Amino acid sequence: MEKLKNKRIAILVADGFEEIELTSPKEALENAGAKTDIISPAEGKVRAKSGDEWSNDYPVDVVLQEAEENQYDGLLLPGGVINPDKLRTNKTAIALINAFWERDKPIAAICHGPQLLINADLVRDKKITSVEAIQIDLINAGALWEDSEVVVDDKLITSRTPEDLPAFNKAIIKAFAATEKNKA
């Protein structure tokens, strides 16, 4: 399966991301032929959580300050409680997310990941799903929240929880496959 051959996908995380929400999509994207880069404000490595417990460290491929949207075909925002809370007040992270949106590149977010879309002001009048814990936050920001395993609205792909990863992974592969290289 080479649907994503020659595609490069950015994965934006900070310490405290939900491990399976990075590893499962990353593996699915790479199995479909994509190259993935973990981007983080942290240098060297970033630490995952598995539920309430700290888990493994993952190497950072690109430090956030050096990340450029024009090097990528799409953006993945894993969830976890701590990760999006750290990133949503990081001006560089929000600017990167907005750069993907302005270039009409797909942005995929799962679980608590859509919190970043709120701060990037991308949810108003968009169909979105998420973990139930941030449903009200999304609605208050103008999102049209729905309880579905995957919701695709324009270039936004959102999903609720790790249980939805099989459907989420299929949806993001489809969305990322449809992008044009270095779309300006």
Side-chain angles (χ1 to χ4, degrees):
M1 186 161 69
E2 292 290 313
K3 290 181 182 179
L4 298 180
K5 187 175 182 183
N6 300 321
K7 301 287 183 176
R8 193 168 174 201
I9 308 302
I11 304 172
L12 178 60
V13 291
D15 284 334
F17 64 91
E18 183 64 38
E19 187 167 29
I20 193 71
E21 294 171 4
L22 177 138
T23 58
S24 176
K26 183 178 191 303
E27 181 180 330
L29 292 166
E30 290 171 352
N31 286 342
K35 178 179 182 338
T36 62
D37 284 340
I38 294 175
I39 298 173
S40 179
E43 292 187 29
K45 62 185 178 180
V46 64
R47 178 161 266 187
K49 288 197 88 170
S50 181
D52 292 333
E53 302 299 321
W54 287 100
S55 186
N56 297 304
D57 291 336
Y58 290 82
V60 172
D61 298 304
V62 180
V63 177
L64 176 59
Q65 299 288 24
E66 298 171 5
E68 297 180 22
E69 158 279 322
N70 64 0
Q71 300 297 310
Y72 299 96
D73 299 288
L75 176 63
L76 172 63
L77 303 172
V81 176
I82 298 170
N83 164 56
D85 200 50
K86 285 184 173 186
L87 290 173
R88 68 184 175 157
T89 57
N90 182 313
K91 289 179 171 57
T92 305
I94 299 304
L96 182 65
I97 293 166
N98 281 318
F100 276 87
W101 186 254
E102 289 163 9
R103 299 279 192 207
D104 202 29
K105 294 181 181 181
I107 301 171
I110 186 167
C111 197
H112 286 80
Q115 284 180 315
L116 293 163
L117 303 177
I118 293 170
N119 286 50
D121 196 26
L122 299 180
V123 301
R124 186 165 312 284
D125 299 324
K126 295 290 183 193
K127 290 185 212 168
I128 302 279
T129 195
S130 67
V131 65
E132 187 179 356
I134 65 168
Q135 172 186 352
I136 297 301
D137 300 329
L138 285 160
I139 291 169
N140 287 342
L144 308 171
W145 192 88
E146 62 181 70
D147 187 14
S148 300
E149 64 182 357
V150 175
V151 174
V152 179
D153 189 338
D154 193 16
K155 295 289 182 178
L156 293 179
I157 307 97
T158 54
S159 197
R160 299 175 301 195
T161 66
E163 288 76 28
D164 299 324
L165 279 165
F168 181 66
N169 291 346
K170 285 179 190 170
I172 65 174
I173 289 169
K174 182 178 179 182
F176 294 152
T179 63
E180 296 174 28
K181 189 70 175 166
N182 293 326
K183 193 171 185 179

